Amino acid sequence: TSAGPTREGDFADTVALEGELTVPHVVLRGSSGDALLRVGGLFEPWAEFVDERRKEPLVWRVAETLRSTLSLTLPAGATLGTLPAAASVDSKLGRYTLRWSRSGDAVVVERELVRVARVVTPADFRELNRFLGDIRAAEHVAAVLTLPSEVRR
């Protein structure tokens, strides 16, 4: 397992992790051996919903591009069904893309958020919440795995 979130902008940084990863809410196992893999259960949201009653603007430190890539190596004998379609969400406040792919015995998930606006005024809070809701909906779509009996728990 490896993960590599990247941030570009005034505060650029990169984090790369490798090793085993156990995240109980990412894969939900059924009695049939089928499992659901959801991006939303692994990554933290990049922004929280805003209370639309708030009077002050929301100010992010920079307008930036955030990227995360996750590669999960599947257990031997596991089969992966059809991957979710790529998703794209556009708003005057930003752009978001999510892509699933296969690479050998791994499933790879890439997501990117481009924050176009650094300052979000109260007049745009409803639009921001719609944008974030559409992103969360895209991240809730699942890939279906069938796990071999020796991996099921």
Side-chain angles (χ1 to χ4, degrees):
T1 304
S2 62
T6 303
R7 176 180 295 163
E8 295 176 358
D10 291 345
F11 301 93
D13 62 1
T14 299
V15 176
L17 307 171
E18 292 187 29
E20 284 192 28
L21 175 68
T22 302
V23 184
H25 299 294
V26 174
V27 177
L28 305 174
R29 297 186 177 125
S31 60
S32 67
D34 287 341
L36 302 177
L37 176 62
R38 289 193 172 98
V39 174
L42 182 58
F43 292 112
E44 286 293 319
W46 276 323
E48 296 295 328
F49 291 105
V50 177
D51 183 342
E52 293 179 18
R53 298 171 296 179
R54 178 180 167 148
K55 304 283 187 231
E56 305 82 23
L58 175 66
V59 180
W60 284 310
R61 57 185 178 168
V62 292
E64 60 190 345
T65 297
L66 303 170
R67 287 187 189 98
S68 293
T69 300
L70 175 71
S71 176
L72 293 172
T73 303
L74 302 177
T79 56
L80 184 61
T82 303
L83 294 175
S88 179
V89 181
D90 291 305
S91 165
K92 69 180 184 178
L93 303 172
R95 293 180 308 279
Y96 173 84
T97 55
L98 174 65
R99 288 177 299 281
W100 294 73
S101 61
R102 296 173 201 234
S103 177
D105 60 351
V107 60
V108 178
V109 181
E110 300 170 277
R111 68 180 189 157
E112 178 178 273
L113 173 66
V114 178
R115 290 182 181 160
V116 176
R118 189 176 151 275
V119 177
V120 182
T121 65
D124 287 327
F125 286 169
R126 181 165 289 159
E127 171 65 17
L128 176 63
N129 285 339
R130 184 205 59 78
F131 180 56
L132 297 175
D134 289 348
I135 290 170
R136 295 219 181 144
E139 292 187 347
H140 191 71
V141 176
V144 179
L145 296 148
T146 302
L147 299 169
S149 59
E150 61 271 13
V151 176
R152 297 179 202 165
R153 292 180 202 181

